[in-house]
Amino acid sequence: MTKHRICLLPGDGIGPEVIECAEQVLSALPLDLEFTRAEIGFGAYERLGTPLPDSTLEQIRLSSAALFGAVTTPPNLPGYFSPVVRMRQSLDLYANFRPCQSIPHSTSRPNIDMVIVRENTEGLYSGIERMEDDGNRAITERVITRKGSERIIRKAFDLARQTNRKSVHVVHKANVLRQTCGLFRSVAFEVAKEYPDITMNEMLVDTCAMELVRAPEQFEVIVTTNLFGDILSDEACMFVGGLGVASSGNIGTEAAVFEPVHGSAPPLAGTGKANPIATFLATAMMLDYLNEKESAERLRKAVRECIANKESTPDLDGALTTNQVTEKVIRKL
Ligand code: NAI
Ligand code: MG
């Protein structure tokens, strides 16, 4: 049995609650795991003066993978920075994967099984911003590189191949953003030549937003730049159960961090209403990454059974608490 070192990043609000549940679920699986914990978020800032201590980045680097809850962003605190964006950039977690798969629940649309692959370190989130003209002109620069585009597009095609999918949609706005999206698009055509078994479709981002609503089942893999991926993946997760079940993975060359898509939901903290399933599905993605495919599948199956039986929190029409859902999942494992 391979030993894995898992770094838990509880964070703020409901983050520590759902991470605690995930630790219990992981401990119930036949795995050899060692857990470490590290600080991130507003609580960390209040205790240590920074929302992302260097020691946290070091812990993640030393681990096989990290599981992250969520953080609270304080409004207008001078000198505060987003620890999530900083973590992705510091660890070069360049590939963000968001699976969207139908769940056995009335709010979910049927036959959806796609993954949105988003570039996670550049584009409009490169952090190059300035004010000019006495604060009357604001500028944000959008940086797209050949290297950044090539590696994310290759990840998308590799994923399609590994999961027996037949198509990749490359989403851009090259008709208007001729330089940045133009580069992304032309790199996509080059990379696609190496994957003759996969069909590449290109689609403008506004069309994609519309097509996602009209017929989401047509998509297998979508690959796109940072901001577009952020928006489209939030849109898509609403067709398959919403924030209570949406999970994601951030994968780089030296580290990998898995997380629920939702935030710290301060009003839910301490109420027992937080749905832990998004974190369980992020945990399953982490197990896939660690090549523990059997445990990942077992966990996904247990979660699906709970959803189908309405053994869930109020957001999925159930009457159970966070801990009760966790107990049900563990029993099914
Ligand atoms: P949110 O995701 O925390 O909540 C949005 C809505 O979804 C709320 O109605 C909430 O009750 C519900 N919800 C969220 N997670 C749920 C769960 N597990 N089970 C059931 N319902 C759930 O987003 P919001 O309210 O915009 O932000 C709250 C805080 O979280 C802010 O400080 C924000 O900056 C931060 N945030 C952090 C993220 C992260 O750590 N990656 C991502 C998004 C927001
Ligand atoms: Mg988002």
Side-chain angles (χ1 to χ4, degrees):
M1 209 185 273
T2 316
K3 189 177 185 86
H4 305 291
R5 196 181 150 106
I6 309 296
C7 180
L8 300 174
L9 303 164
D12 306 311
I14 62 171
E17 299 170 25
V18 293
I19 289 296
E20 170 78 39
C21 295
E23 187 180 3
Q24 289 172 24
V25 163
L26 278 168
S27 303
L29 285 161
L31 297 164
D32 186 6
L33 304 177
E34 179 194 330
F35 294 102
T36 62
R37 288 186 134 69
E39 295 257 19
I40 188 168
F42 185 49
Y45 175 83
E46 289 182 314
R47 283 187 292 277
L48 309 163
T50 169
L52 185 65
D54 287 342
S55 57
T56 294
L57 292 172
E58 200 46 37
Q59 285 274 17
I60 300 172
R61 281 195 193 96
L62 291 172
S63 303
S64 322
L67 194 59
F68 167 46
V71 293
T72 298
T73 312
N76 302 324
L77 196 60
Y80 196 84
F81 58 86
S82 161
V84 179
V85 174
R86 182 74 61 90
M87 174 172 67
R88 289 172 182 169
Q89 284 171 349
S90 302
L91 298 171
D92 197 26
L93 302 172
Y94 67 89
N96 183 292
F97 293 89
R98 278 234 207 148
C100 294
Q101 196 173 37
S102 299
I103 57 165
H105 188 268
S106 59
T107 54
S108 172
R109 288 167 66 166
N111 305 321
I112 300 175
D113 186 9
M114 78 175 103
V115 181
I116 299 185
V117 182
R118 157 188 170 195
E119 203 294 320
N120 221 8
T121 54
E122 50 181 47
L124 262 173
Y125 295 176
S126 299
I128 309 173
E129 296 196 293
R130 62 183 178 276
M131 295 300 281
E132 293 181 353
D133 188 21
D134 291 331
N136 290 307
R137 210 169 117 90
I139 296 175
T140 300
E141 288 185 12
R142 184 172 198 253
V143 180
I144 298 287
T145 65
R146 171 171 291 276
K147 178 187 166 206
S149 304
E150 199 177 317
R151 63 185 185 173
I152 195 69
I153 292 163
R154 195 160 271 135
K155 278 273 183 211
F157 278 90
D158 285 341
L159 172 77
R161 206 175 247 175
Q162 283 154 16
T163 56
N164 293 317
R165 289 174 163 100
K166 296 281 165 272
S167 68
V168 170
H169 280 79
V170 175
V171 173
H172 59 75
K173 188 75 182 176
N175 56 336
V176 179
L177 302 171
R178 302 182 77 89
Q179 300 301 330
T180 50
C181 275
L183 178 59
F184 189 78
R185 174 178 183 268
S186 66
V187 171
F189 276 96
E190 283 166 31
V191 171
K193 283 193 200 128
E194 297 167 32
Y195 299 83
D197 47 322
I198 312 284
T199 307
M200 176 185 135
N201 304 300
E202 58 171 327
M203 194 177 266
L204 295 176
V205 64
D206 42 353
T207 308
C208 183
M210 187 179 70
E211 285 295 316
L212 271 173
V213 175
R214 192 185 66 82
E217 63 286 344
Q218 72 185 285
F219 296 101
E220 293 183 293
V221 174
I222 289 175
V223 62
T224 189
T225 48
N226 208 336
L227 171 70
F228 295 164
D230 192 5
I231 298 170
L232 293 176
S233 58
D234 273 22
E235 181 189 355
C237 88
M238 290 316 291
F239 303 133
V240 288
L243 284 177
V245 296
S247 60
S248 73
N250 306 276
I251 300 178
T253 40
E254 52 170 344
V257 179
F258 298 84
E259 57 176 318
V261 167
H262 63 71
S264 62
L268 291 189
T271 64
K273 287 186 183 149
N275 191 341
I277 285 178
T279 309
F280 296 161
L281 293 174
T283 304
M285 285 181 84
M286 181 179 79
L287 292 174
D288 277 334
Y289 171 81
L290 296 172
N291 216 16
E292 299 288 356
K293 308 270 178 203
E294 211 181 300
S295 289
E297 229 9 82
R298 260 168 84 174
L299 178 51
R300 271 190 281 261
K301 188 163 167 280
V303 162
R304 293 179 81 80
E305 279 172 30
C306 281
I307 295 172
N309 297 343
K310 295 235 177 347
E311 293 169 322
S312 50
T313 43
D315 58 302
L316 289 182
D317 309 332
L320 301 189
T321 64
T322 313
N323 289 332
Q324 286 168 334
V325 172
T326 305
E327 282 163 27
K328 295 280 182 196
V329 169
I330 289 173
R331 205 162 303 158
K332 289 182 197 344
L333 288 175

